Amino acid sequence: MSKVVGVDDYVYKSAKELEALSVLILSAMGCDEETARFVAFHLVDASLKGVDSHGVMRLNQYVEQANEGYFLPMGRPQLKQNGQGAWLVDGQRGFGMPAMRLAVDTAVVQAKKQGISAVGVMNCGHTGRLGAFCEQGARASCLIILFGGGGRGVWRQVTPYGGAKAMLPTNPYAFGIPGGDNGPVIVDFATSVGAGGWVYAAKSAGGEVADGMIVDRDGNPSRDPDDYLQGGALLPAAGPKGYGLALIAELVGEAMLGPVTVDLHWILLAIDVERFRAPSEFHMRAEAILAELRACPPAPGFDQVEIPGERERAIERKRRSSGIPVPLNTWRAIENLGTTLGIH
């Protein structure tokens, strides 16, 4: 799953060790205990599932952003309704993970009452791995659709299709739906070839990104993360398709939800699946579909056809037993961060 290449030196850490250290770092940043524990759990969960771009590597970035005043680690999300009756979660400039959890809880409750619901999420920092929140909703028998944008004032990362300059954020989309025997099906992707976090992961690890992901400031293909960080850009996924999705998200994030104050604005839709089909019938038909796809003969270079969501859970099982691989350079940076914050 990794889009980082050229890294050979890793250390292996248990989830328990990484979570404990993450709680200490987040607490030293100013988070209250509940927020520190939830954000730490979320980061380690991403690392367990192989989504290292959104895992413990992010700790250094979060401390840097907090020190710059970009977001407020002590911020706690608040739920409200606007004058038109729309449900909104105001992140109070804090971490986005607690804000997104509150949004899913709210959306699911409303969907169970009326079949479908929508919640906007605003004024918060990085939300982490969106797939985690889609799985939260899917396990409550809801179809979850989640995407965000509007942050191009700060996050000009991706070229529009046919353009030579970074203009848009990565504007991610994520979907979750109850699945079959192995749990929900989760699809989570940036509208760029890869999430911006993979560039930072490569930089942190002393490696490179995969081919076809970034260009330098002159529009030349590159694998060097510094070329992106020094005025380059990510490319849109699937050309005009990724660009089109990013543009819709940008319009929703700003034109519909209002000027972005911190990271991105998000819209979360929840549909109660049980309004359409009994859970047992849905499960049976879903498993039949998924089993048929798993049975597809693999193409050259592949071992099997995988189901989104199941893949991450399989990686988690492996990493819980063998440990989470952390690039040595990244681990040293996290250790140095702890020392700087007075953690021993």
Side-chain angles (χ1 to χ4, degrees):
M1 291 177 63
S2 179
K3 293 180 173 62
V4 176
V5 297
V7 178
D8 299 318
D9 296 326
Y10 288 84
V11 294
Y12 287 80
K13 299 294 178 180
S14 70
K16 183 177 181 180
E17 180 180 2
L18 288 178
E19 197 167 333
L21 178 57
S22 297
V23 168
L24 291 174
I25 289 173
L26 291 160
S27 297
M29 288 174 59
C31 292
D32 61 70
E33 183 177 356
E34 180 184 356
T35 300
R37 291 191 178 281
F38 180 65
V39 174
F41 171 83
H42 183 94
L43 294 176
V44 174
D45 182 64
S47 292
L48 277 168
K49 289 181 166 61
V51 189
D52 301 307
S53 59
H54 289 63
V56 293
M57 175 277 303
R58 291 274 182 170
L59 287 167
N60 284 279
Q61 181 188 23
Y62 293 159
V63 170
E64 182 179 334
Q65 288 179 338
N67 289 340
E68 293 172 348
Y70 177 72
F71 80 105
L72 305 176
M74 68 290 298
R76 296 291 299 269
Q78 294 182 357
L79 178 66
K80 59 185 181 181
Q81 279 185 287
N82 67 11
Q84 292 74 42
W87 287 101
L88 299 170
V89 173
D90 182 342
Q92 298 290 304
R93 297 188 66 85
F95 273 105
M97 296 81 155
M100 199 63 76
R101 177 178 58 176
L102 177 57
V104 175
D105 287 341
T106 304
V108 167
V109 168
Q110 295 302 314
K112 294 299 179 180
K113 291 179 180 177
Q114 57 203 35
I116 185 171
S117 65
V119 178
V121 182
M122 309 166 68
N123 195 29
C124 61
H126 192 244
T127 53
R129 185 177 74 89
L130 297 181
F133 304 108
C134 290
E135 185 159 355
Q136 176 189 342
R139 291 194 180 281
S141 294
C142 283
L143 164 63
I144 300 294
I145 303 169
L146 171 62
F147 60 96
R152 71 192 185 288
V154 175
W155 297 103
R156 294 186 183 269
Q157 301 167 279
V158 188
T159 65
Y161 180 65
K165 180 180 178 181
M167 299 292 290
L168 291 165
T170 57
N171 288 0
Y173 281 68
F175 303 82
I177 190 168
D181 295 342
N182 296 330
V185 175
I186 307 297
V187 178
D188 178 357
F189 59 90
T191 53
S192 50
V193 173
W198 285 116
V199 182
Y200 293 103
K203 173 69 174 177
S204 172
E208 298 180 321
V209 297
D211 285 327
M213 186 172 167
I214 63 172
V215 293
D216 64 19
R217 67 173 63 192
D218 298 317
N220 300 309
S222 175
R223 293 169 54 178
D224 185 345
D226 283 332
D227 283 339
Y228 165 79
L229 296 170
Q230 295 169 7
L234 291 155
L235 294 171
K241 295 178 183 179
Y243 167 51
L245 288 169
L247 179 56
I248 293 295
E250 195 69 7
L251 291 169
V252 169
E254 181 178 333
M256 188 172 101
L257 295 176
V260 170
T261 54
V262 187
D263 215 66
L264 300 178
H265 282 171
W266 305 87
I267 190 73
L268 189 154
L269 307 175
I271 300 171
D272 183 7
V273 172
E274 295 178 3
R275 295 284 182 122
F276 295 86
R277 204 162 199 188
S280 59
E281 294 176 348
F282 179 95
H283 180 98
M284 179 182 67
R285 292 311 309 158
E287 180 55 31
I289 294 167
L290 299 174
E292 184 176 330
L293 292 172
R294 293 188 204 102
C296 178
F302 291 83
D303 296 326
Q304 60 184 358
V305 172
E306 297 177 292
I307 304 300
E310 294 180 7
R311 181 187 195 185
E312 287 79 2
R313 290 188 285 275
I315 293 172
E316 178 180 2
R317 289 191 293 271
K318 180 179 179 181
R319 289 189 171 188
R320 282 197 181 278
S321 61
S322 63
I324 297 170
V326 182
L328 180 58
N329 285 354
T330 301
W331 176 246
R332 286 173 175 167
I334 293 172
E335 285 187 312
N336 290 337
L337 179 63
T339 300
T340 301
L341 293 172
I343 296 168
H344 301 289

